[in-house]
Amino acid sequence: MSIKLYTEPSSTLHQEFADSEMNLQSDVLFKRAVVTAGTWILYTYPNFNDKESGGSRSNYKILQPGADEDITGVNGSMYLVKDQTEGIILFEHSFYGGERKWFEESCADVNSLFQSGTGRGVSSVIVLSKNQSFDIFTKADYKGLQTALKPGMWCDTPQAMGFPNDKMQSFRKI
């Protein structure tokens, strides 16, 4: 997986990255990205827009292999979406912001990582699996209100998940 970030849109001066970066603005200001491999989420602010509680739709951009794009508004941090064929990634904030965790299997209680009912619950998800769905629940041990997330879904908000914000407590692969 790699992405090249350039200091100017037409410059050849660049830095190549192979993994996520929490703060891209420590040394230089990058203005252009060329993705050679992997799927990347770029954020306006450091730490994956954590202090902004994920920010808004204009505070992130998803780049796929072959992309050559202006990143002037989203050059604070970047996350490499792991090249997994199964599983789900849970995010603390809307718009794929804040803390995140990849799971391959079901989880009966996510509260130790994402505290339900607080501003630290689950607010967005990516279903990496192409042939398996996940049921998500408002209570631990696969109880409470539930809905299904279909294979390949990218849900940048609780509304996109069809689920109450910060209320996911468990999920089951089906």
Side-chain angles (χ1 to χ4, degrees):
M1 307 301 139
S2 68
I3 186 171
K4 293 179 183 177
L5 301 184
Y6 293 82
T7 58
E8 294 294 330
S10 59
S11 174
T12 59
L13 184 61
H14 69 278
Q15 184 173 345
E16 191 163 354
F17 296 88
D19 207 351
S20 303
E21 286 289 326
M22 292 183 70
N23 188 357
L24 289 171
Q25 298 179 342
S26 58
D27 295 327
V28 296
L29 189 61
F30 295 108
K31 297 182 180 176
R32 180 176 146 231
V34 175
V35 178
T36 52
T39 298
W40 299 80
I41 304 173
L42 282 81
Y43 302 88
T44 301
Y45 304 102
N47 301 319
F48 318 114
N49 292 346
D50 184 45
K51 288 185 180 174
E52 295 71 30
S53 296
S56 66
R57 278 203 166 74
S58 64
N59 295 131
Y60 79 98
K61 183 182 275 193
I62 298 169
L63 300 180
Q64 303 280 341
D68 183 341
E69 298 209 23
D70 178 340
I71 60 163
T72 304
V74 288
N75 54 8
S77 54
M78 65 182 175
Y79 173 65
L80 171 62
V81 177
K82 298 300 180 194
D83 192 22
Q84 303 290 340
T85 58
E86 295 296 325
I88 187 171
I89 304 172
L90 307 182
F91 295 84
E92 175 184 15
H93 300 306
S94 293
F95 312 112
Y96 313 112
E99 294 293 321
R100 75 257 355 272
K101 175 82 173 141
W102 171 75
F103 296 87
E104 188 172 12
E105 297 296 328
S106 301
C107 182
D109 189 353
V110 300
N111 271 316
S112 64
L113 300 166
F114 301 98
Q115 298 164 357
S116 178
T118 71
R120 296 187 40 80
V122 176
S123 295
S124 53
V125 301
I126 299 172
V127 179
L128 298 171
S129 299
K130 300 299 181 211
N131 59 2
Q132 290 185 313
S133 298
F134 287 85
D135 281 340
I136 58 177
F137 300 84
T138 57
K139 296 187 184 277
D141 299 317
Y142 319 115
K143 296 178 181 171
L145 296 173
Q146 72 180 74
T147 193
L149 300 175
K150 298 191 182 310
M153 282 183 78
W154 285 60
C155 302
D156 62 358
T157 64
Q159 293 79 17
M161 286 189 282
F163 207 72
N165 190 29
D166 294 328
K167 297 294 185 187
M168 183 191 303
Q169 290 193 30
S170 60
F171 63 90
R172 179 174 48 214
K173 185 162 65 169
I174 53 173

